[in-house]
């Protein structure tokens, strides 16, 4: 008698099991049941078919029932659903979904691969037309037909997991305006926040609007489409919605079978993938597996593990007795021009558990290049690895434009080998300048991890800075790099002159040193530690990691950038093109500085770079050096920045209104004071001048910033010092004190009463009157950084600028007041 094996479910696990069965046993009777129409399709490719990356629908169908039967002699029955299992009689009941007839089949062995299905929570309006989930070929057909017929201009994706990101990207590539809504404060839950921030920036740069820490409360059908009502009360008008909130196992039909299920409905199996009922096995998305690293029970719905389980379970049916030792969730996703991959545990999981297997862990953050920096086209890789105190690799995340798959596979292999840091250091990996570096990024993870574990350097990560509020922040980058942005309150000493400056530093202090990516910071820390500085930390990943950690999603464009676009439209200037591709930080900014020195005022420098960090830094550098960033575009892996030499405001006024220079009757006011009476005087003069037809600019700096603060408390992320300033300073015009005779606030109250009696508008009303009348109010960026004030804390309508903004206005004024 030959063995009869029934398989419930196709795709990855079931189809792999069926093929392996036939290869091992040519005589076995094999029947595969699939309740859908397709037994084996490329479910991971479905988003790319919607985005026209995969153009042929047939390419999604890896096997048909006919081709599978011809190749493997398997009786494939699609649209046949197994509805119950009788273990005692060793038979299953099947529903033929076409004829609606029910019948039974007996088995010697039963393999369950029912898979999972998308979550659809009970949100009001979720069944409205235009709301989709993506999981099967039928799903993709419905979505593709809708997109082709309706040609939507707007779409909302709910959920920031792998499928959600792939759908957002593919819809955006079709020219659809996409909003992505995610309940967490980040996309891609397997990644730590600072690594997800890199993906946030990439999506924002490609036009996707992110709504993080927000969920959906309701879908409302309207005459022109749908409205998605978010939990914070905001509403998004759209023409289609993609739901991507995760999956659940399809195991409802097993509840009366006697097969053990966990709380999530997952099938419980032993080390050999057998259920609690003899001769019944299970594989794929629907099973509970062991976490390879911790040993904890988990569920990991990925195609790779499902394929391996399908093969292994068949070997065990035929007597191999091979244990499935668990999964550790290696995954990868494309995100426009970037790729993001993860393996093993992330830091959130480690913090939740405190320690793994009783051991401490360390965070390793590096930003190496994809290949030798001197070979054209080198791009940064962002790697975060987590290692235990006994040098075991616990997990890793990699983000970059190329080479991500190579590095994550090396790191995943090291986890599987349980070999850790020592293996990473000693791996002999392929090297040639176009492909890697003499020290591979994976090698570098091992080197840096060893330095940390053995105490050669102490590190902190960007999220830990607030807990080191008393430390001295030491920026050991070049002055040019420092001018592009720095940590608040930090001291800049170039690494190359650090040894000569050590005598000026207090050895009893705690120091946090940082550079661009962490390498020079390590060198500085080693110098200081060997010279008797006992408390020195290196900021892991340097200023790059700090910048990503503090990236503001969907930050509003500054007034300067708006005016820059206007300037480009009305002015034609001579342009000099410079190729700085292949240069690593600070190379591109040094090239900008050198090139601007060779061109005339008002002319444009167009610089080509491939360092993504450059696009974050060049705006700050231009502002601080009195030049104008006209814009940044992206072509493939290259960024192109256009920089106009000189002050924007002055040049724009000359181009648009030449008579302004001749008349010289504008008014400028520097509001340095946060005293109520002085602020009132400034606004009375300003409103009076604007009423006489004069152009008025008020530059609020230092304590004057309190005049334009919002009265209500705004939740923003600040350093410890910033929080202290925020607590001590008055919040808005209603809280300002008098410069004299304040009397604990009584004087200010009396003045406001007299103003009301004599029909003089209150300060807060004068500010709004001024804004409506066209007074330009500029908040000093530099003072905001020093005082710890964020843009969201200031009233609407205020611009942000620096000295160049103020001087540009002052050059056309006949009156300049300092109050």
């Amino acid at each position: 008698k030959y063995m009869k094996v029934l398989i419930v479910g196709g795709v990855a696990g079931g189809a792999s099991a069926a093929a392996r069965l036939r290869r091992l046993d040519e005589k076995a009777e094999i029947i595969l049941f699939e309740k859908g129409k397709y037994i084996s399709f490329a479910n991971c490719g479905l988003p790319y078919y919607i985005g026209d990356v995969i153009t042929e629908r047939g390419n999604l169908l890896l096997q048909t029932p006919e081709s599978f039967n011809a190749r493997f002699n398997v009786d494939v029955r699609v649209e046949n659903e197994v509805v119950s299992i009788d273990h005692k009689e060793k038979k299953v009941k099947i529903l033929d979904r076409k004829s609606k007839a029910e019948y039974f089949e007996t088995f010697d062995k039963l393999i369950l691969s029912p898979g999972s299905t998308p979550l659809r929570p009970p949100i009001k309006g979720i069944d409205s037309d235009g709301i989709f989930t993506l999981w099967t070929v039928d799903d993709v057909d419905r979505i593709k037909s809708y997109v082709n017929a309706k040609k939507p201009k707007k779409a909302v994706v709910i959920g920031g997991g792998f499928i959600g990101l792939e759908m957002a990207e593919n819809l955006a590539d079709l020219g659809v305006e996409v909003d992505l809504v995610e309940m967490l404060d980040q996309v891609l839950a397997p990644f730590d926040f600072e690594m997800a921030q890199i993906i946030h920036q990439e999506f924002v740069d490609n036009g996707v609007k992110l709504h993080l820490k927000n969920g959906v409360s309701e879908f409302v059908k309207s005459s022109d489409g749908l409205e998605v009502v978010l939990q914070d009360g905001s509403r998004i008008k759209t023409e289609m919605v993609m739901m991507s909130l995760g999956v659940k196992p399809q195991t409802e039909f097993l509840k009366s079978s006697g097969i053990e299920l966990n709380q999530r409905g997952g099938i419980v199996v032993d080390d050999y993938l057998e259920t609690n009922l003899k001769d019944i096995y299970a594989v794929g998305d629907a099973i509970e597996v062991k976490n390879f690293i911790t040993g904890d029970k988990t569920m990991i719905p990925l195609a790779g593990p499902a394929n391996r389980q399908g093969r292994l379970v068949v070997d065990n049916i035929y007597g191999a007795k091979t244990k499935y030792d668990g999964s550790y969730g290696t995954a990868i996703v494309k995100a426009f021009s970037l790729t993001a991959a993860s393996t093993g545990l992330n830091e959130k999981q480690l913090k939740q558990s405190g320690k793994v297997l009783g051991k401490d862990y360390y965070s390793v953050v590096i930003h190496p290049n994809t290949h030798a920096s001197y070979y054209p086209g080198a791009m940064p890789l962002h790697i975060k690895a987590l290692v235990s105190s006994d040098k075991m690799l616990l997990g890793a995340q990699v983000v970059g434009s190329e080479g991500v798959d190579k590095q994550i596979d090396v790191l995943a292999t090291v986890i599987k080998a349980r070999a850790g840091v020592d293996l990473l250091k000693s791996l002999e990996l392929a090297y040639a300048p176009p492909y890697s570096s003499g020290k591979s990024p994976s090698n570098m993870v091992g080197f840096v991890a060893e330095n940390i574990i053995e105490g050669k350097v102490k590190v902190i990560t960007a999220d830990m800075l607030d807990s080191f509020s008393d430390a001295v922040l030491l920026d050991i980058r070049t002055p040019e790099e420092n001018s592009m942005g720095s940590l608040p309150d930090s001291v800049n000493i170039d690494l190359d002159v650090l040894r000569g400056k050590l005598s000026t530093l207090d050895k009893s202090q705690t120091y946090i040193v940082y550079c661009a990516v962490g390498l020079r910071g390590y060198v500085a820390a080693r110098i200081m530690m060997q010279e008797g500085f006992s408390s020195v930390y290196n900021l892991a990943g340097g200023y790059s990691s700090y910048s990503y950690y503090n990236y503001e999603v969907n930050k509003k464009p500054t007034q300067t950038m708006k005016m820059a676009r206007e300037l480009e439209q009305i002015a034609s200037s001579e342009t000099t093109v410079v190729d700085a591709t292949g240069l690593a930080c600070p190379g591109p900014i040094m090239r900008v500085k050198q090139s601007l020195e060779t061109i005339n005022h008002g002319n444009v420098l167009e610089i080509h770079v491939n360092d993504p960090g450059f696009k974050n830094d060049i705006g700050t550098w231009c502002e601080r050096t009195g030049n104008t960033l006209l814009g940044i575009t992206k072509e493939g892996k290259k960024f192109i920045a256009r920089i106009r030499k000189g002050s924007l405001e002055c040049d724009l006024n000359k181009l648009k209104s030449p008579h302004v220079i001749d008349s010289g009757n504008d008014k400028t006011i520097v509001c340095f004071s946060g005293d109520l009476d002085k602020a009132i005087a400034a606004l009375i003069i300003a409103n009076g001048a604007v009423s006489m037809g004069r152009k008025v600019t008020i530059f609020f700096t230092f304590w004057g910033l309190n005049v334009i603060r919002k009265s209500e408390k705004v939740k923003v992320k600040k350093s410890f010092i910033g929080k202290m300033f925020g607590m001590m300073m008055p919040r808005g015009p209603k809280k300002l004190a008098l410069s004299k005779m304040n009397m604990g606030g009584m004087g200010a109250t009396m003045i406001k009463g007299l103003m009301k009696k004599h029909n003089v508008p209150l300060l807060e009303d004068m500010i709004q009157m001024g804004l409506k009348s066209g007074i330009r109010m500029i908040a000093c960026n530099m003072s905001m950084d020093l005082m710890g004030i964020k843009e969201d804390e200031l009233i609407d309508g205020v611009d942000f600028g620096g000295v160049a903004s103020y001087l540009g206005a002052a050059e056309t004024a006949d009156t300049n007041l300092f109050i």
Side-chain angles (χ1 to χ4, degrees):
K1 180 179 180 297
Y2 299 113
M3 185 183 297
K4 182 178 181 180
V5 183
L6 305 184
I7 302 173
V8 180
V11 196
S16 295
R20 181 67 170 172
L21 266 166
R22 181 55 73 216
R23 289 195 295 269
L24 292 184
D25 188 348
E26 182 62 24
K27 301 298 184 180
E29 182 182 357
I30 308 169
I31 306 174
L32 189 154
F33 302 98
E34 170 58 54
K35 71 178 182 179
K37 298 176 183 177
Y38 309 95
I39 62 156
S40 184
F41 62 90
N43 51 353
C44 296
L46 299 182
Y48 300 100
Y49 175 61
I50 292 171
D52 286 341
V53 178
I54 298 171
T55 56
E56 294 295 329
R57 180 181 181 276
N59 290 342
L60 299 171
L61 306 178
L62 305 179
Q63 291 281 358
T64 65
E66 295 76 20
S67 66
F68 202 75
N69 180 262
R71 176 68 55 85
F72 298 109
N73 190 25
V74 173
D75 182 359
V76 178
R77 302 179 188 178
V78 295
E79 297 188 87
N80 276 247
E81 180 180 1
V82 173
V83 294
S84 66
I85 298 171
D86 185 339
H87 176 253
K88 187 176 181 181
E89 297 294 329
K90 298 191 80 169
K91 65 181 181 181
V92 299
K93 181 195 286 188
I94 305 103
L95 169 66
D96 186 323
R97 301 180 78 175
K98 281 186 176 179
S99 67
K100 306 302 180 184
E102 292 184 340
Y103 65 97
F104 293 89
E105 285 285 354
T106 59
F107 64 85
D108 296 314
K109 304 288 184 180
L110 176 64
I111 301 174
L112 301 173
S113 179
S116 52
T117 187
L119 290 170
R120 284 183 71 90
I123 301 171
K124 186 177 179 182
I126 196 171
D127 294 323
S128 303
D129 292 339
I131 300 178
F132 303 95
T133 56
L134 178 62
W135 202 245
T136 67
V137 176
D138 288 339
D139 293 335
V140 83
D141 287 341
R142 282 191 291 269
I143 297 167
K144 190 72 171 176
S145 296
Y146 185 89
V147 170
N148 289 343
K150 303 288 186 180
K151 293 183 171 45
K153 295 180 180 178
K154 293 185 177 182
V156 175
V157 176
I158 313 296
F162 290 95
I163 295 177
L165 261 61
E166 288 170 347
M167 280 306 308
E169 176 187 353
N170 279 280
L171 287 169
D173 284 345
L174 290 176
V176 179
E177 183 181 319
V178 180
D179 288 70
L180 190 150
V181 180
E182 168 56 54
M183 279 286 291
L184 300 176
D185 62 352
Q186 65 169 83
V187 300
L188 297 178
F191 291 73
D192 287 318
F193 177 77
E194 69 272 27
M195 298 297 285
Q197 282 276 70
I198 305 170
I199 303 301
H200 294 164
Q201 182 168 335
E202 178 71 8
F203 270 71
V204 170
D205 287 349
N206 282 277
V208 176
K209 187 173 183 182
L210 301 180
H211 305 264
L212 303 177
K213 292 194 290 186
N214 217 339
V216 178
S217 61
E218 184 180 357
F219 297 105
V220 178
K221 189 71 176 174
S222 62
S223 58
D224 55 349
L226 286 164
E227 266 197 330
V228 182
V229 183
L230 302 186
Q231 291 178 354
D232 66 357
S234 58
R235 305 169 83 96
I236 307 171
K237 287 188 176 182
T238 188
E239 296 163 72
M240 68 177 292
V241 173
M242 285 298 313
M243 300 291 295
S244 180
L245 295 174
V247 296
K248 63 178 180 179
Q250 296 192 88
T251 54
E252 289 290 325
F253 73 104
L254 299 177
K255 287 189 174 179
S256 60
S257 67
I259 294 173
E260 183 181 355
L261 305 176
N262 66 16
Q263 289 184 339
R264 295 171 59 186
I267 303 169
V268 177
V269 294
D270 64 13
D271 289 343
Y272 305 97
L273 302 177
E274 190 171 17
T275 70
N276 60 305
L277 300 182
K278 184 175 172 52
D279 296 327
I280 300 180
Y281 300 80
V283 299
D285 290 5
I287 72 169
E288 178 184 82
V289 297
K290 183 170 61 178
N291 184 293
F292 176 78
I293 300 167
T294 66
D296 297 334
K297 298 296 186 181
T298 186
M299 295 185 73
I300 299 179
L302 293 172
N307 275 293
R308 292 191 300 278
Q309 291 158 12
R311 178 186 177 91
L312 184 148
V313 75
V314 172
D315 291 349
N316 286 338
I317 285 174
Y318 281 87
K321 287 297 178 185
T322 303
K323 288 186 177 182
Y324 184 72
D325 54 4
S327 300
Y328 47 102
T330 305
I332 192 166
V333 65
K334 181 178 178 295
F336 292 101
S337 66
L338 294 182
T339 302
S342 66
T343 185
L345 304 175
N346 59 39
E347 192 165 7
K348 294 191 294 287
Q349 293 167 323
L350 290 172
K351 285 180 177 178
Q352 288 167 2
S353 63
K355 295 181 180 180
V356 174
L357 307 177
K359 302 178 181 69
D360 291 320
Y361 74 89
Y362 301 93
S363 179
V364 175
V365 182
I366 60 174
H367 304 278
N369 281 333
T370 51
H371 58 249
S373 58
Y374 58 81
Y375 186 87
M379 299 286 283
L381 278 170
H382 310 282
I383 302 178
K384 179 176 182 177
L386 300 158
V387 295
S388 63
S389 54
D390 61 350
K391 298 188 176 182
M392 300 305 296
L393 183 61
L394 303 173
Q397 300 149 50
V398 185
V399 179
S401 61
E402 60 184 46
V404 172
D405 52 344
K406 174 181 178 178
Q407 301 306 325
I408 205 68
D409 285 345
V410 170
L411 296 166
T413 302
V414 171
I415 290 177
K416 185 69 174 180
R418 301 189 190 276
V421 171
D422 290 334
L423 179 58
L424 278 170
K425 290 189 310 172
S426 62
L427 284 172
E428 186 174 322
L429 301 171
Y431 161 61
Y435 304 108
S436 187
S437 298
K439 296 176 182 176
S440 162
S442 294
N443 292 144
M444 290 301 300
V445 170
F447 298 147
V448 175
E450 181 182 59
N451 288 337
I452 295 171
I453 294 169
E454 294 184 353
K456 292 184 176 64
V457 66
K458 293 185 285 189
V459 299
I460 68 166
T461 50
D463 61 309
M464 298 167 61
L465 283 170
D466 284 351
S467 60
F468 283 78
S469 57
D470 295 330
V472 176
L473 300 175
L474 190 57
D475 181 355
I476 52 85
R477 299 174 299 162
T478 64
E480 289 78 14
E481 291 174 277
N482 177 268
S483 69
M484 293 189 293
S486 60
L487 273 65
D489 307 316
S490 61
V491 178
N492 181 214
I493 301 178
D494 191 331
L495 174 62
D496 292 341
V497 300
L498 177 62
R499 289 182 178 87
K501 299 281 188 179
L502 290 179
S503 61
T504 65
L505 302 178
D506 182 356
K507 291 185 178 180
S508 66
Q509 287 273 9
T510 294
Y511 290 88
I512 297 174
V513 296
Y514 71 93
C515 62
V517 297
L519 180 57
R520 284 174 290 168
Y522 169 64
V523 175
R526 291 297 302 160
I527 292 171
M528 295 177 71
M529 291 168 67
Q530 293 176 79
E531 291 295 333
F533 289 80
S534 59
S535 185
V536 182
Y537 295 82
N538 186 23
L539 178 61
Y543 189 71
S544 293
S545 288
Y546 171 83
S547 299
Y548 282 121
Y549 183 78
N550 290 282
Y551 172 69
E552 296 181 43
V553 172
N554 294 328
K555 183 178 179 180
K556 299 173 185 176
T558 64
Q559 180 72 9
T560 300
M561 284 299 294
K562 293 176 185 175
M563 295 179 70
R565 287 193 289 270
E566 187 178 357
L567 178 64
E568 259 210 314
Q569 291 173 359
I570 63 175
S572 58
S573 305
E574 183 180 328
T575 299
T576 300
V577 179
V578 173
D579 184 3
T581 55
L583 293 180
C585 185
I589 201 65
M590 296 294 292
R591 186 66 61 84
V592 169
K593 181 176 182 292
Q594 295 163 2
S595 300
L596 283 177
E597 290 172 354
T598 66
I599 67 175
N600 294 327
H601 182 94
N603 286 343
V604 173
L605 171 70
E606 180 182 298
I607 186 162
H608 297 225
V609 302
N610 53 14
D611 177 9
F614 178 82
K615 69 179 186 293
N616 302 325
D617 300 332
I618 187 60
T620 303
W621 185 88
C622 285
E623 184 177 295
R624 294 188 178 186
T625 56
N627 295 292
T628 304
L629 177 63
L630 299 175
I632 298 178
T633 57
K634 189 175 183 183
E635 291 183 3
K637 298 176 181 177
K638 183 169 63 175
F639 299 92
I640 301 173
R642 289 177 55 80
I643 301 160
R644 196 170 194 273
K645 185 173 181 178
S647 164
L648 167 69
E649 286 81 3
C650 180
D651 293 345
L652 186 61
N653 285 333
K654 290 177 181 176
L655 288 163
K656 291 180 68 177
S657 307
H659 64 278
V660 173
I661 304 296
D662 297 330
S663 61
N665 58 8
D666 293 350
K667 314 297 175 189
T668 54
I669 300 173
V670 178
C671 186
F672 178 86
S673 173
D675 295 329
L676 176 62
D677 43 339
K678 296 176 182 177
I680 290 171
L683 267 297
I684 288 175
I685 295 169
N687 277 292
V690 80
S691 69
M692 297 171 64
R694 305 297 186 247
K695 184 177 178 181
V696 179
T697 300
I698 310 179
F699 188 69
F700 293 90
T701 185
F702 283 94
W703 312 111
L705 290 169
N706 294 309
V707 178
I708 50 174
R709 287 182 75 189
K710 292 177 180 175
S711 299
E712 68 274 12
K713 188 174 182 180
V714 178
K715 190 174 181 181
V716 290
K717 190 172 184 178
K718 292 188 176 186
S719 66
F720 175 78
I721 295 175
K723 290 176 183 176
M724 293 298 295
F725 266 110
M727 292 170 59
M728 293 186 291
M729 293 189 300
R731 189 181 293 118
K734 295 180 181 179
K735 301 292 185 180
L736 300 183
L738 289 178
S739 60
K740 298 183 183 298
M741 298 189 300
N742 188 53
M743 299 179 290
M746 290 180 59
T749 302
M750 292 168 62
I751 285 290
K752 291 175 184 177
L754 288 170
M755 291 171 69
K756 189 173 182 180
K757 181 178 180 181
H758 292 279
N759 294 318
V760 178
L762 296 177
L763 176 58
E764 53 266 32
D765 296 329
M766 282 194 278
I767 292 171
Q768 292 303 317
M769 288 167 54
L771 287 169
K772 290 178 181 178
S773 300
I775 295 176
R776 187 180 179 205
M777 301 185 187
I778 304 173
C780 175
N781 282 127
M782 182 271 291
S783 296
M784 290 172 65
D785 290 341
L786 294 177
M787 310 288 280
I789 293 176
K790 304 294 184 182
E791 290 184 13
D792 288 345
E793 293 183 272
L794 301 183
I795 61 174
D796 295 334
V798 171
D799 294 338
F800 304 93
V803 174
S805 300
Y806 158 66
L807 291 176
E811 287 180 1
T812 63
D814 62 359
T815 304
N816 185 43
L817 303 177
F818 188 93
I819 296 179

